[in-house]
Amino acid sequence: MHNKAVADFLVVENTQLNSTNFLIKLKGEKDLPKLYPGQFVNVDIKGLNDVFLRRPFSIFEVNYTENTLSLIVKILGKGSKKLTEIKKDETCNIVFPLGNRFTIPNKGEKILLIGGGSGVAPMLFLAKVCGLDANSVNLLLGARTKEDHIDATNYSKYGKLNFASEDGSLGEKGFVTQHSVFLNLKLYDRIYACGPDAMMKAIAKEAKAANVFCEVSLENLMACGFGVCLCCIEPTTDGNKTVCKNGPVFNINDLKW
Amino acid sequence: MHNKAVADFLVVENTQLNSTNFLIKLKGEKDLPKLYPGQFVNVDIKGLNDVFLRRPFSIFEVNYTENTLSLIVKILGKGSKKLTEIKKDETCNIVFPLGNRFTIPNKGEKILLIGGGSGVAPMLFLAKVCGLDANSVNLLLGARTKEDHIDATNYSKYGKLNFASEDGSLGEKGFVTQHSVFLNLKLYDRIYACGPDAMMKAIAKEAKAANVFCEVSLENLMACGFGVCLCCIEPTTDGNKTVCKNGPVFNINDLKW
Amino acid sequence: MVDLKVKIADLELKNPVMTASGTSGFAEELMDFYDVSQLGAVLLKGTTLKNRDGNEYPRMAETASGMLNAVGLQNKGIDYFIENIYPRIKDYDTPLIVNVNGSTVEEYIEVTEKVNELDKIPAIELNISCPNVKEGGMAFGVTCPGAEMVTKEVRKAYDKTLIVKLSPNVTDITDIAKAVEGQGADSVSLVNTFLGMAIDAEKRIPLLSTITGGLSGPAIKPIALRMVWQVYNAVKIPVIGIGGIMNATDAIEFMLAGATAIQVGTAIFKDPFAPVKIIEGINDYLKRHNIQRVSDLTGALQL
Amino acid sequence: MVDLKVKIADLELKNPVMTASGTSGFAEELMDFYDVSQLGAVLLKGTTLKNRDGNEYPRMAETASGMLNAVGLQNKGIDYFIENIYPRIKDYDTPLIVNVNGSTVEEYIEVTEKVNELDKIPAIELNISCPNVKEGGMAFGVTCPGAEMVTKEVRKAYDKTLIVKLSPNVTDITDIAKAVEGQGADSVSLVNTFLGMAIDAEKRIPLLSTITGGLSGPAIKPIALRMVWQVYNAVKIPVIGIGGIMNATDAIEFMLAGATAIQVGTAIFKDPFAPVKIIEGINDYLKRHNIQRVSDLTGALQL
Ligand SMILES: Cc1cc2nc3c(=O)[nH]c(=O)nc-3n(C[C@H](O)[C@H](O)[C@H](O)COP(=O)(O)OP(=O)(O)OC[C@H]3O[C@@H](n4cnc5c(N)ncnc54)[C@H](O)[C@@H]3O)c2cc1C
Ligand SMILES: Cc1cc2nc3c(=O)[nH]c(=O)nc-3n(C[C@H](O)[C@H](O)[C@H](O)COP(=O)(O)OP(=O)(O)OC[C@H]3O[C@@H](n4cnc5c(N)ncnc54)[C@H](O)[C@@H]3O)c2cc1C
Ligand SMILES: Cc1cc2nc3c(=O)[nH]c(=O)nc-3n(C[C@H](O)[C@H](O)[C@H](O)COP(=O)(O)O)c2cc1C
Ligand SMILES: Cc1cc2nc3c(=O)[nH]c(=O)nc-3n(C[C@H](O)[C@H](O)[C@H](O)COP(=O)(O)O)c2cc1C
Ligand code: FES
Ligand code: FES
């Protein structure tokens, strides 16, 4: 029943990962509930006259022992920028946990996880949670340049790391959909993706053609984040669904793409 | 002509003076113009959703060598509270110098300066600027309790210090208008006062009765601070005048009290 | 102990704090956070006769101290509500009020008739003020004849408490309030959203798919408060105040201006607990000011 | 170089950025900060036939992203203006526009006739939308017959550019805009302030001496922008956009929505340099987007 909360978290870390991405680790006062890849939190951005609503960020890492959760925050506009300026020991108020979650794959399945930009956050979380043999997991991370990539070396124990960059400065040159691990999608039992809309659509198109199970996590403009305002809709075969509550994870077969 | 400015100042000091008052010292980039007792600055309070307009504060001290000006800020509501939380090395945007000024007394005149609460700020500034023999200046500072008084010992070189407190914990017990130096106003050539409205009215009444020159500095709600909005009016014998531009200093004979 | 109970015609509320329609779903979403039985009432999402997909994305734009929405009454229709949602929520221990919408008078009547049959719905709020739909909606709410007509017909079809929700997009809201009072409305709630617009200057496009949308949030509070005060002075039926209420102080201001109860809308998006905190805050205020009954606040502004 | 010039009927402006009436005094106060000749135009403080003391203190209340004012047209009357203020300011190198007010049509006419004689005043703005005075003011601005009547009479008395300033406190602002256009207005400026109210919950009193006042600032921007867009699509005369413009982006949004020029009001209180910064910001935008003439922005919203 009362499975969601609003709470002040303590900022225990704020590390700049690269030119535009920050890792923000938040410690809860009460014990965290179990959190799942795909879920997000809605953050109150304080101290700006022109930011009124909260801002949604995916859960990237959870540590139940420390009672912390981490976000990867990319500077996009005024709210995200302000959030990256938050300091250790300040409080950060979040609404959580929000959204549905990715379907956890079955043992033995071969999976491809694709993250673009700050969309890597839920993908790395998912890789960790899957609990699969690293050999059966391909992680494909895409960004514009090497600079924009987040260091994911720690995640090689959860899957094979592959990189794509538009300028070829890290991994293969081009979009993720041009990467060699993306060439034959029939190799995978499941594909999961999170990233910019255009990327999600390109992936969905290929996954559909290859008839492979594929879940994508969508981003759009939210007012409430928990399903009451109906602002964040995505058209589906079953009508308009909320990205914040019915999503953010959708099976591509349910989308009208 | 262009004798007013809007500028970012650097906070070089923020010292808590007592339970509710803070001394904030601001350093300008450009050379300060000559500033006069009675003038004020209008401060942009950053980082609050519910504070939209600037907040006016009297100039308390000026140091042309350091290029600094200081304010005494008393916590009254949300904006003043936030301002007292400003940190050294942060910037503070002010519009300045605003308002008219106290009439500087002539050599040899006997004067009484009365400051109540944060109204001590312009009084101490005036005491310093007068350049009179300390023997001819009586400074009367009033507050609720000793705790609420600001340490003014440094100012004894500019005049004789007298204190009034409602509970008798510092100086004489009672309001400033009950203080012994206030008993015979005929002793003074000029009386200057700054403080809460009720105090100003009580002083004005006695000064009028004694027929002594008296200037009071008024506080009221301001939107612009430089005379364009006509929100901050005080009725005078010559019609409604703006406290921010025609004031804040008024000769009591011009007021409709 | 202070008495928080208020009455909207025959409808008794535990306290004057309701949630606004379209900002609290069908109460279930709030149940994810806390027990809605604490609330004075819950206004359910605007309901029409048939399924409505609502408007296209984007439906939301943030503005200074507010937001624009262009949801456009997305809902699955009254029958779906009755069959699928009502059974799940009907036993919540707080009055559930259906927000009734239509493109035509007939549609309003049909929805009302169906709601009239629902035991556990003690009141309806007639929405003649939605700025986000092409037909009906606000059109009825901005002229006296329009407002009169639909109120009159719905009144005939409804036995329980009839609240009419007014549009602020009018020259004189007291005219509309008096018109619906004259046709038997038990209460008026105001305001719905203001018609507004937002533009992306860089891309030179509107930020909403519908170009214009409804403005809500603290930005509108001063106007809403003025309207509540005007309407309170113009009608005899209880007034429900809505518009930018974020905290207990805001709620109390609306009551002082004349509201018998208030609705919390956009504030819920920032903090789902806002209505609960507002109840607590009102309680504290009454204690601090030594006021026995919250109803004593209604219209208690000293002029 | 980009071309910032715009035309309001026969009135040529260096750039589209004016200051709004009542927020920039008689231009002299801005001269304390910078040379007003940089500005597109300066709208002078609302002027009436006779001296007006305005309303009692308190006249101002801060609200979320805005403020309420209840100044009530304090001014020394048109004769005082002509004798004492006009000589001091008439040679400022920017169009000075008198904001004409009255309680009766006759008063509007008399003020207009006197202003008509002033060589250095190239235009007037007819204020039929002030919410802060008991008679006249907004009363003329909220009905078509009222707006028509006063516009018609003033038009007869005035040879130069006649701008009519519209009230947002109406059901359909396009009706009023069309009505004044029909009576010969050269341009419409909108919006004036929204009628609002603020209360001190602790003291249970209104925060303004007049109970209600006019709301301005960013809070109203979305509504003002919508109205400008509607009016732009309804009339042929140039539209001047006003309401919560704080920066160049806001100004550009109003132009995209259909404004030929804009006025900066409340923003001046926060930063007297706001109009100057807005001019710079528009200039940068045009360069960045490779747009030659600022006038190309007017109505350039892509739907
Ligand atoms: C479910 C979900 C999970 C997310 N997870 C992450 C994450 O883990 N890390 C991360 O960095 N970001 C994430 N985002 C995106 C993040 O919420 C936005 O970057 C942030 O809200 C932007 O706020 P801002 O104030 O910086 O931008 P603003 O200044 O408000 O806007 C800047 C520009 O970006 C556009 N914009 C803003 N938010 C969105 C959006 N959600 N969709 C489309 N356009 C938008 C605006 O329209 C505007 O043009 C997520 C979004 C969603 C919905
Ligand atoms: C010319 C001038 C000089 C001043 N000099 C000083 C100074 O040197 N030191 C200092 O501490 N303060 C000074 N003040 C007062 C100071 O401006 C206010 O305390 C401050 O603006 C309050 O802001 P706030 O956001 O804290 O209060 P808010 O939260 O906005 O308001 C709190 C309460 O105080 C009332 N209030 C706020 N400001 C005023 C006011 N100016 N007059 C009457 N009631 C008010 C409000 O109506 C409200 O009830 C001066 C004021 C003026 C006009
Ligand atoms: C996203 C959203 C959806 C809304 N949907 C409805 C609705 O379906 N029916 C209705 O009468 N009002 C609807 N409203 C208006 C609110 O109930 C309320 O009148 C308005 O938002 C003003 O209050 P607020 O400022 O507290 O939000 C909606 C408002 C928002 C923000
Ligand atoms: C303090 C104040 C005084 C005003 N006086 C006048 C006036 O005399 N005449 C007039 O037409 N408008 C007057 N206005 C309205 C402004 O010109 C402008 O239309 C309104 O404030 C909206 O713009 P803004 O949000 O940029 O301030 C006044 C506004 C304020 C805030
Ligand atoms: S953001 Fe409100 S329903 Fe999704
Ligand atoms: S505050 Fe605007 S005139 Fe004084």
Side-chain angles (χ1 to χ4, degrees), chain B residues 2 52-54 221 230 240, chain D residues 31 53 57 59 62 270:
Chain B
H2 311 325
F52 173 62
L53 297 164
R54 288 172 184 263
L221 291 170
L230 307 187
N240 284 333
Chain D
M31 274 296 206
D53 288 336
Y57 182 85
R59 291 181 174 184
E62 194 178 40
K270 280 224 78 166

Side-chain angles (χ1 to χ4, degrees), chain C residues 135-151:
Chain C
E135 298 118 27
M138 202 171 83
F140 288 107
V142 296
T143 67
C144 289
E148 265 167 10
M149 202 232 300
V150 54
T151 307

Side-chain angles (χ1 to χ4, degrees), chain B residues 124 127 134 137-141 150-164 179 181:
Chain B
L124 296 176
V137 177
N138 254 306
L139 262 160
L140 172 53
L141 309 180
I150 285 157
D151 180 17
T153 35
N154 275 339
Y155 285 83
S156 60
K157 52 179 172 284
Y158 305 114
K160 190 168 164 291
L161 287 174
N162 305 277
F163 300 96
H179 195 280
V181 301

